[in-house]
Amino acid sequence: MRQALELFWERGYEGTSIAELVSAMGVTPPALYAAFGSKENLFREVLELYFSGVGFDPSIYFVLPTAREVVERFLREAAAAYSSPAHARGCMVATGMLGYAPEHQGVAMHITELRRVAREALEARFRAARKAGDLPKDADPAALAGFYFSVLQGMSVQARDGASKNQLLRIGEVALRALP
């Protein structure tokens, strides 16, 4: 599974062939299909592996006491994770399937849903912060969540293009200044 994760992360869903998967995983095509049923099912399981160990965990939104600490932490963690030499650069969910062929719409919608759930969790955290007085009453939680997810996605693309951890951290510092 780890080899499949690395391939999908580096090349995206459509850029990864069954031949590459079976070669990397050391299995035969029939064994891959017997174990997972399809490339799509394998990808979905790989996404679970990604979130269990490497991907961003939105539960931090509700652990930290202030919205500023939440935003600062996820921007800092994203900069480190996206630029890490330990795995493919960027975020697998942000960049793994932006464009797709019509026959892969199910996979694309699954990734879209994962992004939506994470963005809505951040929006809920911003609503709670506004209610608690941690954000101004006129703060727009939906717009703030959309903005910070756009920053994260942009940082992912920058990392894929070779941006260093320090460059990504500077982007995060600028973005943090937008928080009211």
Side-chain angles (χ1 to χ4, degrees):
M1 288 288 288
R2 185 71 188 180
Q3 291 82 6
L5 170 66
E6 288 297 325
L7 277 173
F8 282 130
W9 197 346
E10 180 182 325
R11 299 179 184 165
Y13 178 81
E14 288 198 3
T16 304
S17 71
I18 293 292
E20 292 167 323
L21 287 166
V22 298
S23 175
M25 295 173 75
V27 299
T28 63
L32 185 139
Y33 284 106
F36 302 102
S38 67
K39 177 182 168 183
E40 179 176 338
N41 290 342
L42 170 60
F43 184 71
R44 287 174 187 260
E45 289 199 31
V46 162
L47 285 170
E48 288 181 29
L49 175 63
Y50 177 78
F51 280 110
S52 71
V54 181
F56 182 71
D57 179 6
S59 68
I60 71 153
Y61 297 159
F62 297 94
V63 174
L64 300 172
T66 68
R68 180 165 299 283
E69 289 172 287
V70 169
V71 172
E72 184 175 19
R73 181 169 169 186
F74 81 66
L75 290 171
R76 189 176 305 121
E77 287 182 2
Y82 293 174
S83 61
S84 173
H87 49 69
R89 296 177 66 86
C91 172
M92 184 172 149
V93 175
T95 59
M97 191 153 193
L98 295 175
Y100 58 90
E103 64 267 21
H104 300 132
Q105 183 175 6
V107 177
M109 298 311 294
H110 181 67
I111 289 181
T112 298
E113 179 67 8
L114 292 172
R115 290 190 297 252
R116 183 192 63 75
V117 166
R119 188 186 68 251
E120 286 181 356
L122 183 58
E123 181 181 338
R125 178 60 177 92
F126 284 146
R127 277 195 308 276
R130 185 178 64 187
K131 184 177 181 181
D134 183 37
L135 288 175
K137 291 194 183 310
D138 64 346
D140 183 341
L144 286 170
F147 171 75
Y148 284 109
F149 265 82
S150 295
V151 170
L152 284 177
Q153 290 169 331
M155 287 171 64
S156 177
V157 172
Q158 291 289 314
R160 295 286 294 214
D161 289 347
S164 69
K165 178 181 176 182
N166 286 337
Q167 289 169 316
L168 297 175
L169 285 169
R170 289 195 327 258
I171 291 167
E173 289 168 7
V174 171
L176 188 59
R177 292 184 207 135
L179 188 66

